[in-house]
Amino acid sequence: MRINNTEKKILKKIVINNLQGKKSLRNLQKDFDIEKRELDKYINNLKNMKLIKQIKSNYILTDKGRKNIKIVFTGGVYDIIHPGHIHTLKKSKEEGDLLIVSIARDDRVKKIKGKKPINNEKRRIILVSAIRYVDHSLLGSKGNIFNIIKKIKPDIITIGYDQKHQISELRELVKLNNLRIKIKRLESPIPHVKSSNLRRKYKT
């Protein structure tokens, strides 16, 4: 069974809608700039293939539909956006169809780094959302950071070159939660470019 590019975009949009707490497809016609009759044709085709199901006016992916979308998940602070971030996000997007980025909460940043971020979490999510490779960004969990992963259930988690996460620990958490997720650390052609170095250089 093969689906075309428009049908895949619809599946991706449904995933994002669900993460935002929206299940209606009323905004799809504007997003794809197509006639309603044509959109209905795509929707009906996805229903017939049992890739989506409709409950009243709401749409969700079936298990079969979810298998047609490869979701990539990554996360970070993203306080001072620099070329290293862009490279990591670009490479992350190349790993799948849909790139979802988790933005660290202000309290967590302060706890880890010992100081508040220059840009608060609301500004940072706006900045990351504006990057072309990012399909959707959201704030991370306030408690256990793995909760957001359990919610999204990505196919792959990418770890940036400047992040301290231990891949072995992540793999153990994935196993404990009965998830099947590939974990990949990304390299960078500019490993010396880090937000912490920039803060020290400009004494921010």
Side-chain angles (χ1 to χ4, degrees):
M1 175 190 62
R2 298 187 65 179
I3 60 175
N4 61 39
N5 288 335
T6 301
E7 289 165 340
K8 177 161 278 192
K9 286 179 181 178
I10 291 172
L11 294 181
K12 289 163 59 177
K13 184 63 179 177
I14 291 173
V15 171
I16 293 171
N17 278 355
N18 291 178
L19 288 172
Q20 294 174 329
K22 301 182 297 186
K23 295 184 173 65
S24 171
L25 295 184
R26 285 178 295 181
N27 56 341
L28 269 182
Q29 188 178 348
K30 183 174 69 174
D31 289 345
F32 295 120
D33 191 28
I34 58 178
E35 296 291 334
K36 185 179 183 303
R37 184 170 59 183
E38 188 177 359
L39 175 60
D40 288 341
K41 182 182 71 174
Y42 286 122
I43 295 296
N44 288 330
N45 194 35
L46 290 170
K47 286 182 186 177
N48 291 334
M49 289 190 288
K50 301 188 185 314
L51 301 183
I52 64 173
K53 60 183 178 182
Q54 181 178 1
I55 304 173
K56 295 183 179 179
S57 61
N58 297 333
Y59 292 84
I60 60 174
L61 267 62
T62 62
D63 290 342
K64 188 177 179 181
R66 175 62 182 81
K67 290 177 181 177
N68 278 269
I69 297 293
K70 188 176 182 182
I71 296 179
V72 183
F73 175 89
T74 194
V77 177
Y78 301 100
D79 192 14
I80 305 172
I81 303 294
H82 55 69
H85 287 136
I86 303 301
H87 175 82
T88 297
L89 293 172
K90 180 177 183 292
K91 290 299 179 184
S92 295
K93 180 59 186 284
E94 290 174 359
E95 294 289 332
D97 302 305
L98 187 66
L99 175 59
I100 297 173
V101 182
S102 174
I103 309 299
R105 296 273 184 169
D106 290 343
D107 290 345
R108 183 166 183 78
V109 176
K110 185 177 179 181
K111 182 179 179 181
I112 294 173
K113 297 184 179 289
K115 61 178 71 175
K116 291 182 179 180
I118 296 171
N119 293 294
N120 64 33
E121 58 192 35
K122 290 182 180 178
R123 292 197 200 102
R124 289 184 283 119
I125 204 167
I126 290 171
L127 290 169
V128 171
S129 296
I131 297 171
R132 61 181 293 189
Y133 307 111
V134 177
D135 294 293
H136 181 62
S137 60
L138 72 175
L139 291 174
S141 302
K142 290 185 177 181
N144 186 342
I145 61 171
F146 201 77
N147 287 342
I148 199 77
I149 295 173
K150 289 192 287 185
K151 177 182 177 181
I152 294 170
K153 295 181 176 64
D155 299 282
I156 181 168
I157 297 173
T158 57
I159 307 297
Y161 67 97
D162 60 342
Q163 293 179 307
K164 297 179 181 179
H165 297 90
Q166 294 296 322
I167 289 182
S168 58
E169 292 178 10
L170 272 175
R171 284 182 177 147
E172 186 62 28
L173 284 170
V174 166
K175 185 178 179 180
L176 286 173
N177 285 276
N178 296 315
L179 298 172
R180 298 184 66 181
I181 304 173
K182 178 182 176 182
I183 300 170
K184 182 175 182 178
R185 183 176 293 281
L186 302 175
E187 302 299 327
S188 171
I190 46 172
H192 61 285
V193 179
K194 300 179 181 180
S195 297
S196 55
N197 292 344
L198 293 172
R199 289 194 71 155
R200 282 195 294 269
K201 181 177 180 180
Y202 295 102
K203 297 180 180 179
T204 56

